[in-house]
Amino acid sequence: MDNVPAKLLATGGMRTATTRVDKPVLYVFCGSFNSGKASLAMQISQKRSGCEVKEILHMRDNYTPEYARINPDTMAVPTLQIDDKVCTDSFDLCKYLLEHYPGPGDQEVVAAGRKAEMMAFVELVASWDEYMFTYGNISETMADTVNQIRLANL
């Protein structure tokens, strides 16, 4: 049991991009719990109206060379291109938007001195295992299909 990974999905992070984007671009998949967290964070931020949301409609779409150039670490969603950053982790994305582009509600919470409470909740949600909420019931046949699509598109 020592070789069993703690989580089955890839983990992302935040990196500095080689070019700066004028408006944010958020890549999401409707079946992804972490994409939902990222979408919500964007919707309550100051960048809401200027963000281009790109829906990944089929799992093969995030295994293209174009997408791999944006997110070579995990080739998963969510991915946010913002300013001179590429964020491939929903928790880091939430923190970045809160620190740099807080929406009116976030501004109220911070002004009321309750930022630590809000971050504790964000950290709690970040600890939930996406696998259990979105991919935990995938059949063996479907898992084979996912892996075949990955191999065909790499």
Side-chain angles (χ1 to χ4, degrees):
M1 287 302 228
D2 292 334
N3 294 332
V4 176
K7 289 196 175 189
L8 298 175
L9 297 177
T11 56
M14 177 83 72
R15 67 177 169 80
T16 301
T18 56
T19 58
R20 183 177 183 83
V21 294
D22 293 326
K23 67 179 192 171
V25 180
L26 177 62
Y27 296 82
V28 295
F29 173 67
C30 64
S32 164
F33 182 61
N34 283 331
S35 286
K37 291 186 280 187
S39 296
L40 176 61
M42 182 57 73
Q43 288 298 314
I44 62 175
S45 78
Q46 293 175 18
K47 288 292 191 174
R48 173 185 182 167
S49 61
C51 182
E52 177 182 357
V53 177
K54 293 192 175 186
E55 296 277 345
I56 301 293
L57 300 176
H58 191 279
M59 61 189 89
R60 71 172 171 253
D61 296 341
N62 55 318
Y63 294 100
T64 64
E66 294 80 19
Y67 191 77
R69 286 184 192 96
I70 298 165
N71 182 354
D73 300 327
T74 66
M75 295 175 65
V77 290
T79 297
L80 174 65
Q81 294 176 282
I82 188 167
D83 303 329
D84 65 340
K85 305 288 183 213
V86 175
C87 182
T88 59
D89 179 81
S90 59
F91 180 66
D92 292 338
L93 185 151
C94 290
K95 288 192 310 186
Y96 187 84
L97 291 173
L98 174 64
E99 293 296 325
H100 299 279
Y101 303 104
D106 291 340
Q107 292 172 17
E108 280 183 43
V109 170
V110 171
R114 300 183 71 187
K115 181 179 177 181
E117 289 176 56
M118 180 172 60
M119 288 310 299
F121 176 73
V122 171
E123 288 176 17
L124 172 68
V125 173
S127 73
W128 298 344
D129 190 357
E130 179 178 18
Y131 178 78
M132 296 307 296
F133 288 98
T134 53
Y135 303 107
N137 295 319
I138 194 169
S139 69
E140 187 176 327
T141 305
M142 186 60 170
D144 288 344
T145 302
V146 171
N147 288 324
Q148 289 168 353
I149 290 169
R150 287 178 181 153
L151 290 172
N153 285 286
L154 289 179

